[in-house]
Amino acid sequence: MSITIQRDSDNIVTLLLDMPGRSMNVLNEALTAPFVAAIADIEADPSIAGVIITSGKADFVAGADIEKLFQITEAQPAFDLVQEFKGFLRRLEQCGRPVVAALNGTALGGGLELALACHHRIAINNPKAKFGLPEVKLGLLPGGGGTQRLPRLIGIQNALPLMLEGKELRAEEALQQGIIQELANDREDLLAKAKAWCLAHPKAAQPWDDKKFRWPGGDSKTPANAQLWSIAPSMASAKTHGNYPAVINILSCVFEGGIVDFDTGCEIESRYFVNCALSPVAKNMIGTLWFQLNAINKGKSRPEGFAPSRVNKVGILGAGMMGAGIAYASAKAGIGVVLLDSSIDAAENGKNYSAKLLDKALKRGQQTVAGKESLLALIKPTVDFDDLGGCDLIIEAVFEDRQVKADVTRKAEVVIGADAVFASNTSTLPISGLAQASSRPANFIGLHFFSPVDKMPLVEIIIGEHTSPQTLARGFDYVQQIKKTPIVVNDSRGFYTSRVFGTYVMEGLKLLMEGQHPRAIEMAGLQAGMPVGPLALHDEISLSLSWHILQQTRKDFAAAGKPFAGHPADAGLEKMAKELDRNGKKAGKGFYDYPENAPKHLWPGLQQAFPLASQQLPQKDMIERMMFVQANEAAKCYEEKVMLSVADANIGSIFGWGFAPFQGGALQYINAYGVANFVKRANQLAEQFDGYFAPAKILVQMAEQGKKFE
Ligand code: NAI
């Protein structure tokens, strides 16, 4: 059974939610059916004095049944489903007995909505537990009364950011916000406090069911809130460029709910929920950020047959920007770190980076002094290769130079055990070539991190020509051990992420060379849903780096006797990096100027360097081109078997370089556009631009066969 019911001598009933065969409780029929039956029993038995709801799992309840929701394509069944769930919660809060949510762990989405329907919430103060309504991250809104209960509980102005950004709070933060009313030390304390509350509040009822209910901070008509409504929609649209319908729908739910009674508000919420749930955006986001991400996290691309492994000690070569970040991420996961650089000052600087991040976390109340000290104690800065002895894994993050990398590889391999894994964090150099410096290429792999490492959730694992499946499994396990998402790709130039991401920044430059206004180009990038415009992004990664990579690639092709096609915007890159010496943000000048005491602004000289064309393209054409180049390149990568699965391609695009999440990833973009339509449009663009944009061969075949990416 999913629910065990216990009754104690004081007639307090505890409902222990513990779904068999699942690691988390999920609000599907297997849970709600016995729940409804339990409520009916409670209603029928006047001797029951109170109800405690808790979970037998590590977490409380994870959320609603996304699988069922994803399958629904029609409005009425979606509306009925969500109304049914609401009805059940409403019955719970009106059962006439005090009901306490005893939150032993995480309560997100529907799980928190269940807790909000209780009269009182107590949580164990466990730093791992998270509380929030993150539905917006899947293109949805809280449909279980969350948009109605939360603002009535903590006020409209406090509730909105939580729902619009899908923030997840720790127990202490949720307490401060008034979402949780008490904290407990452990399960025993939790249940004792829950019982005490029930006994002390026999007549508990929801404030919104009291005729004299007043909204904390006022309802929608209160002047301060009325002012908020005049700016909130435009602020939300400016941030999301209208790409996320859930955002406006959440605002509508709260606004409209704020002028009506609770039950009417709930019905309004259901209607907006259906709007969101059936939208292509929700389908894209759920398909990728829920199903595909879960499949990856469950080890879809990890070779089978190898026992799970753990890294106890990692050696990091190079304590620069990347090495320091990787050291922090590893130590945070409890792994001992040897951080090696060519000078002790550089190595200690690398360790200091962790100290700085920890100080920030301390200030925000997300870290303790003891936690900071114990994490820093795990990092040993050094210049001595002998300190690498006993490492299970080495990650090389020295300069992007084959010779330097070969040199540190040889030195480290003298010290480490024969079965240790050696990984390179190179961003551009093919792994199989680097593995030539290794005496054990089967243990050599690429682990490509993204900057800043502490924030970026992805690691691209690169399989070299000789990398063994066991090494891949161990690399995969390490990435998961440090709580990042691994995607697996085969070795090739630029791997997957850098190769496709490059097409976006180069398309921006190409548009500039065609005479499009730079401000319009940047705006098109943002409207397409990318986090940064292509020119600003190019400045961030540095034009000199792009120029260096281009020259290196030309040399490599020439050495191999192969023709090099290049990119139509290569001449623009040369002009910026070489002729005009505008190399990007680090150099203080690129497409933008970076004055010391003012925000960056587009370089006025761009107008002379790239004169405006008499005809300016509509924004929608530029947006389409920016999306097309990325999606088409991702399809080419898939065709060349660069990445191993559609899930890796979609997740890699969103987590790796910020491909518009509402599109569901680079390959899902093509699915949603329609493969045949995409091919047709790409051919039209190719005709206009000398073959550039020509669709990947695999797309032409898929269109003929009526297939899509699966
Ligand atoms: P960085 O220049 O900040 O750091 C490199 C560090 O390696 C320096 O501290 C340097 O002193 C040290 N080093 C150089 N030669 C050494 C040697 N022989 N022995 C020991 N230490 C040595 O460079 P960054 O940005 O950290 O990049 C490192 C690697 O990571 C490069 O291969 C780069 O391509 C790659 N990468 C960089 C990304 C980025 O966004 N910067 C993203 C992903 C990968």
Side-chain angles (χ1 to χ4, degrees), residues 318 320-322 341-342 397-400 404-405 425 427 449 451:
M321 186 165 88
M322 297 306 289
D341 207 294
S342 38
V398 297
F399 297 140
E400 189 74 340
V404 181
K405 287 189 188 293
N425 178 47
S427 44
F449 286 79
S451 170

Side-chain angles (χ1 to χ4, degrees), residues 317-323 340-343 346 385 396-401 404-405 407-408 411 424-428 448-451:
L317 313 181
M321 186 165 88
M322 297 306 289
L340 182 144
D341 207 294
S342 38
S343 79
F385 277 80
E396 166 281 297
V398 297
F399 297 140
E400 189 74 340
D401 180 295
V404 181
K405 287 189 188 293
D407 183 46
V408 296
K411 284 184 181 154
S424 173
N425 178 47
T426 176
S427 44
T428 56
H448 179 210
F449 286 79
F450 295 78
S451 170

Side-chain angles (χ1 to χ4, degrees), residues 291-339:
F291 290 108
Q292 294 185 348
L293 182 59
N294 282 344
I296 287 177
N297 287 337
K298 282 186 187 147
K300 184 183 170 67
S301 306
R302 184 188 187 276
E304 283 174 15
F306 299 100
S309 65
R310 284 187 77 74
V311 170
N312 291 314
K313 186 175 171 190
V314 62
I316 297 169
L317 313 181
M321 186 165 88
M322 297 306 289
I326 301 167
Y328 173 74
S330 302
K332 204 168 162 216
I335 302 173
V337 178
V338 178
L339 185 55

Side-chain angles (χ1 to χ4, degrees), residues 35 179 276 295 335 361 387 398 455 462 680:
F35 215 139
I179 298 171
C276 287
I335 302 173
D387 286 335
V398 297
K455 294 220 177 76
I462 302 126
K680 194 168 151 205

Side-chain angles (χ1 to χ4, degrees), residues 564-605:
F564 177 64
H567 186 279
D570 284 348
L573 177 61
E574 182 165 0
K575 184 171 193 169
M576 284 294 289
K578 215 174 132 200
E579 282 171 38
L580 300 167
D581 188 29
R582 297 200 61 97
N583 277 303
K585 190 176 173 186
K586 241 188 195 167
K589 50 184 184 170
F591 294 108
Y592 285 78
D593 273 332
Y594 297 87
E596 246 175 51
N597 297 319
K600 69 171 188 225
H601 57 81
L602 280 160
W603 176 45

Side-chain angles (χ1 to χ4, degrees), residues 222-280:
T222 307
N225 290 334
Q227 225 172 6
L228 170 85
W229 297 124
S230 68
I231 52 165
S234 55
M235 271 173 68
S237 305
K239 247 186 172 175
T240 59
H241 302 283
N243 289 327
Y244 296 85
V247 166
I248 294 297
N249 283 329
I250 289 171
L251 288 172
S252 302
C253 286
V254 178
F255 171 73
E256 292 178 35
I259 44 179
V260 296
D261 64 86
F262 180 79
D263 286 309
T264 311
C266 277
E267 201 174 318
I268 289 170
E269 179 191 85
S270 294
R271 297 197 187 284
Y272 282 114
F273 180 84
V274 173
N275 274 353
C276 287
L278 300 187
S279 70

Side-chain angles (χ1 to χ4, degrees), residues 19 30 74 149 180 491 527 634:
M19 299 173 81
E74 283 170 33
R149 287 191 182 90
I180 285 168
D491 196 14
Q527 286 174 336

